[in-house]
Amino acid sequence: MSEDAASGQTAVEDDDAARTPDVELIHGVPMVRVGTQATLHPDREEYVGLVESLRADGYWLCVDLCGVDYLTYEAPRGLPEGVEAERFEVVVGLVDPTGRRRLRVRVQVPGDDPTIDSLVAVHPGVDAYERETWDLFGITFEGHPGLSRILLPDTWEGHPLRKDSPTGDIPVQFKAPRGLRS
Amino acid sequence: MTTEHTRSSGDSSVIAQIEALDAARSALVADDAVLRLTETDAEERSGYQPATEDGLGERMIMNMGPQHPSTHGVLRLVLELEGETITRSKPVIGYLHTGMERTGETLTYLQGPTNVTRMDYAAPMFNELAFSMATEQLLGIEVPERAQWIRMLMCELNRLASHMLFMATNGMDLGAVSMMLYGWREREELLRFIETVTGLRMNHNYIRPGGVAADLPDGWRDDLLRTLEPIPERLEEFDVLMTGQPIWQNRLQGVGVITTEECLSLSVTGPILRSTGAAWDLRRDMPYLRYDELDFDVLIGTYGDCFDRYAIRLGEMRESIRMVRQILDKMPDGDYKIQDKKVTPPPRARIGESMEALIHHFKIYTEGFKVPEGETYAAVESPRGELGVYIVSDGSSKPYRMHMRDPSFANIQSYPHMMADSLIADTVAIISSVDPIMGGVDR
């Protein structure tokens, strides 16, 4: 009888585990595992310290850093409990070449204060990525040695990968002004 | 001949030490090899710079590119010179930027490969592959066995073609002009085969979510064998023409040196990282497709200079041929795309017979297929390093956000560090040895 009850309980637990992703703590930061991919969700204060600790754990290679603007996103965001969804996200991809592992770090950045600490002191290779993210999303990386436009011209106004940035109605720049034609 | 310069790696459990990494990082952070000028400032201050109070002597700021023939398209370098010596420098990019990541948000997953294939245009298959793999991860589907092997075949041929392009441009940049013709000739032969399979020389849109666009054509095996047959011999000719030549060696050996620790700190991957002696190749270390069933060596260098980077690419072409021959033996029969009517369009012939097929065809081409919400990252080893795609899906038929991690974008960050204290004459060798494709850098 008790055996039956126990097995019934485990079945329920298994069901739950299949539905809600696995959450565990790495360096005090919640980690979500979906399939084979693991994602850490630090807040802005923990972020740089966390990546530094992960570097000491073997995640030497920071392969990627990009921004996401969730302004018009309506589906569930897949965030663990306690992490509040904000408009922007900075997503960092880390690789541990010795352990052949990958890890992703997603940091929430509020839309009314789009600033976050720069990772350049931890991984100098994110220099260009942070400039790109600033250029296209307008997220400021504090402590970056030279945050300037990288893909767009210096004179460009706005940040075109933001969801509220208009598409298609920007006048083409490389065209002679109308007056010169006639 | 190349074996003298490149080694194949055994199991390299440790490719760096954290102490050495820390030292390299603090050196990189403290190092003022990067000229921190915005592109407008660099243009305005171009020319003579008088000596400054804080001990800097007379210098000159020179803008090299974006229309310089050896800058591989539209790369611009801002160089700060002291006589003939480069003190600081900075790559300026963006001349090919057309907002392809934003365009990707307006195209369905079926149209996606047509967009991404134009990014790194010398390795279009890899762009398509990474995009398709990410989409398939979100869909939770596994493509059929034959499709996996066809993808692998086309990617290795594309790698060969891409490295041929490197051989041609690298040779031309350094004055071995005949090399340009040879490299180009071999590349055209390979592209001709790719054209018979995909219909186009470049921008194929061949690898798509769910499989590939079409099966290999009749007679492909003989055609491919004919195409491959002369290549090993021609690679020997490259050795005679370049590898053993004292002029070639003097121009490249000891030029543009970078260490493993610097590469890891600067997010540099691919042949540049391998040239420093670190065996890091996603095909072996994080296998995708069916690379774990192939027998191949990961080639590594010793000195991390321009010559090692050249020799590694030459060696990788031999490895690719070895892989293609194994793929020819192992190519399985079966479907070339997944038979899921919600993801891949039905065969042309079915449309005339079945109402359902017609509906599926119409739905897929008008609104595309829906992809479950979530986010994913898929990475492949392109000829230039790790090529990754990060996709965020909101459950609709278009990606909510599509980010391309292009290897060249990260790799060109190594320029200021490779060029510090080198001569102007070496810049061309260094630019060339990184093999940047500006379409991928600027996206």
Side-chain angles (χ1 to χ4, degrees):
Chain A
M1 191 73 155
S2 60
E3 262 181 38
D4 278 355
S7 63
Q9 213 164 16
T10 45
V12 170
E13 270 173 21
D14 281 350
D15 248 31
D16 269 1
R19 245 179 276 130
T20 55
D22 216 6
V23 178
E24 52 182 300
L25 289 178
I26 304 284
H27 295 295
V29 173
M31 181 173 83
V32 180
R33 225 177 249 287
V34 180
T36 55
Q37 302 192 8
T39 310
L40 282 163
H41 294 270
D43 56 34
R44 281 196 287 174
E45 285 71 37
E46 296 167 322
Y47 161 62
V48 174
L50 170 77
V51 178
E52 178 71 64
S53 320
L54 289 171
R55 185 172 171 277
D57 293 348
Y59 289 95
W60 297 333
L61 188 58
C62 176
V63 284
D64 192 20
L65 185 147
C66 72
V68 185
D69 179 4
Y70 280 98
L71 185 67
T72 57
Y73 194 84
E74 276 158 8
R77 299 266 295 266
L79 301 173
E81 254 176 75
V83 177
E84 207 175 313
E86 300 282 2
R87 176 176 170 184
F88 293 112
E89 235 176 54
V90 169
V91 185
V92 182
L94 299 170
V95 168
D96 170 4
T98 322
R100 294 167 183 170
R101 293 176 293 173
R102 254 179 215 287
L103 203 56
R104 195 155 57 236
V105 176
R106 284 168 65 185
V107 197
Q108 304 296 319
V109 182
D112 50 6
D113 173 30
T115 52
I116 187 167
D117 289 336
S118 169
L119 211 55
V120 169
V122 183
H123 290 287
V126 300
D127 185 324
Y129 286 104
E130 291 189 347
R131 283 177 63 199
E132 184 193 353
T133 309
W134 180 77
D135 193 359
L136 302 178
F137 287 94
I139 298 172
T140 310
F141 292 85
E142 276 168 15
H144 190 287
L147 203 63
S148 59
R149 295 230 182 241
I150 183 166
L151 293 176
L152 299 170
D154 280 345
T155 49
W156 194 275
E157 280 171 25
H159 303 283
L161 244 60
R162 285 188 172 190
K163 288 284 175 182
D164 53 4
S165 143
T167 45
D169 53 358
I170 297 167
V172 179
Q173 291 197 326
F174 308 103
K175 215 168 166 182
R178 262 170 205 281
L180 295 181
R181 285 205 189 141
S182 56
Chain B
M1 209 163 222
T2 43
T3 44
E4 289 170 27
H5 305 287
T6 54
R7 311 170 272 141
S8 63
S9 77
D11 185 48
S12 64
S13 48
V14 177
I15 65 173
Q17 297 291 334
I18 188 77
E19 294 79 19
L21 260 174
D22 282 341
R25 179 177 67 179
S26 17
L28 282 174
V29 171
D31 189 8
D32 53 358
V34 187
L35 183 65
R36 297 281 176 195
L37 279 182
T38 64
E39 49 183 276
T40 324
D41 286 347
E43 216 166 288
E44 281 165 5
R45 291 184 51 195
S46 167
Y48 173 76
Q49 306 291 312
T52 55
E53 297 282 314
D54 49 347
L56 281 172
E58 290 178 312
R59 287 148 303 136
M60 180 172 160
I61 287 180
M62 190 174 83
N63 285 278
M64 183 175 172
Q67 283 107 349
H68 193 281
S70 70
T71 52
H72 287 238
V74 287
L75 174 66
R76 168 173 150 206
L77 282 168
V78 184
L79 306 172
E80 186 193 55
L81 304 165
E82 226 174 66
E84 279 276 306
T85 314
I86 296 166
T87 47
R88 292 184 289 176
S89 56
K90 182 189 178 185
V92 175
I93 60 171
Y95 295 96
L96 276 185
H97 180 65
T98 48
M100 292 169 94
E101 290 185 0
R102 181 84 198 227
T103 310
E105 292 171 8
T106 64
L107 299 174
T108 65
Y109 288 94
L110 189 70
Q111 295 167 325
T114 33
N115 180 36
V116 297
T117 192
R118 283 159 171 78
M119 291 180 174
D120 183 348
Y121 48 76
M125 289 288 179
F126 296 88
N127 297 306
E128 298 167 17
L129 176 65
F131 181 86
S132 301
M133 277 169 55
T135 310
E136 284 150 12
Q137 277 173 15
L138 284 169
L139 284 165
I141 56 172
E142 177 90 358
V143 299
E145 201 64 15
R146 185 175 169 84
Q148 308 255 19
W149 285 84
I150 294 177
R151 284 176 173 191
M152 214 152 60
L153 174 76
M154 299 312 285
C155 281
E156 285 315 313
L157 289 173
N158 196 172
R159 188 186 311 275
L160 261 171
S162 172
H163 281 349
M164 283 292 180
L165 180 73
F166 165 78
M167 290 292 149
T169 52
N170 192 38
M172 185 175 65
D173 288 344
L174 292 160
V177 180
S178 44
M179 194 49 230
M180 182 193 81
L181 299 173
Y182 295 139
W184 230 268
R185 178 184 67 187
E186 269 46 289
R187 177 168 179 264
E188 277 314 310
E189 282 302 303
L190 290 158
L191 291 187
R192 189 195 52 74
F193 175 78
I194 295 178
E195 188 183 352
T196 60
V197 176
T198 69
L200 290 165
R201 286 170 69 248
M202 296 165 86
N203 304 337
H204 313 288
N205 188 19
Y206 180 67
I207 298 174
R208 298 176 188 180
V212 294
D215 206 352
L216 296 167
D218 292 341
W220 67 275
R221 200 177 285 268
D222 295 334
D223 193 4
L224 180 56
L225 284 171
R226 261 200 310 279
T227 312
L228 283 184
E229 197 252 320
I231 291 181
E233 204 181 303
R234 302 246 166 104
L235 293 180
E236 298 294 322
E237 283 177 23
F238 291 5
D239 269 340
V240 175
L241 192 66
M242 299 187 293
T243 316
Q245 293 298 331
I247 299 174
W248 186 257
Q249 293 176 351
N250 285 338
R251 282 300 306 273
L252 292 181
Q253 288 180 352
V255 171
V257 178
I258 194 162
T259 64
T260 307
E261 289 78 18
E262 284 171 341
C263 278
L264 290 172
S265 302
L266 289 170
S267 311
V268 171
T269 49
I272 309 169
L273 175 59
R274 287 195 286 277
S275 76
T276 65
W280 180 252
D281 188 324
L282 294 180
R283 288 175 292 171
R284 184 197 66 173
D285 293 302
M286 292 180 174
Y288 51 96
L289 297 181
R290 293 293 176 265
Y291 277 108
D292 46 350
E293 293 176 32
L294 292 184
D295 183 26
F296 63 98
D297 289 324
V298 176
L299 299 178
I300 55 174
T302 312
Y303 303 101
D305 58 5
C306 290
F307 192 85
D308 274 359
R309 295 194 274 276
Y310 151 77
I312 279 181
R313 292 194 177 97
L314 195 58
E316 280 188 2
M317 288 201 276
R318 295 194 164 99
E319 289 303 315
S320 286
I321 294 175
R322 207 173 131 196
M323 279 187 246
V324 169
R325 293 204 184 278
Q326 291 174 52
I327 296 168
L328 274 167
D329 292 338
K330 293 187 174 179
M331 180 66 73
D333 291 332
D335 285 330
Y336 62 91
K337 63 180 182 186
I338 192 169
Q339 291 301 323
D340 181 340
K341 297 287 176 281
K342 302 280 185 214
V343 178
T344 49
R348 192 76 213 162
R350 291 281 301 147
I351 297 170
E353 298 164 359
S354 150
M355 188 65 187
E356 264 202 333
L358 183 68
I359 293 171
H360 283 305
H361 183 272
F362 182 73
K363 286 283 247 187
I364 283 179
Y365 281 101
T366 51
E367 60 184 46
F369 50 85
K370 291 199 164 38
V371 168
E373 72 248 10
E375 34 106 48
T376 195
Y377 180 83
V380 300
E381 183 76 26
S382 100
R384 275 159 274 282
E386 173 167 334
L387 179 86
V389 177
Y390 179 68
I391 292 184
V392 179
S393 167
D394 60 351
S396 71
S397 58
K398 292 168 186 169
Y400 183 79
R401 165 95 169 104
M402 194 260 306
H403 170 72
M404 208 72 173
R405 189 270 178 208
D406 191 88
S408 304
F409 185 75
N411 290 356
I412 59 166
Q413 292 189 81
S414 61
Y415 279 149
H417 306 285
M418 286 182 184
M419 285 176 187
D421 297 323
S422 74
L423 298 171
I424 300 182
D426 291 336
T427 16
V428 175
I430 295 171
I431 294 174
S432 186
S433 76
V434 170
D435 191 20
I437 295 294
M438 299 314 288
V441 174
D442 293 342
R443 302 184 300 285

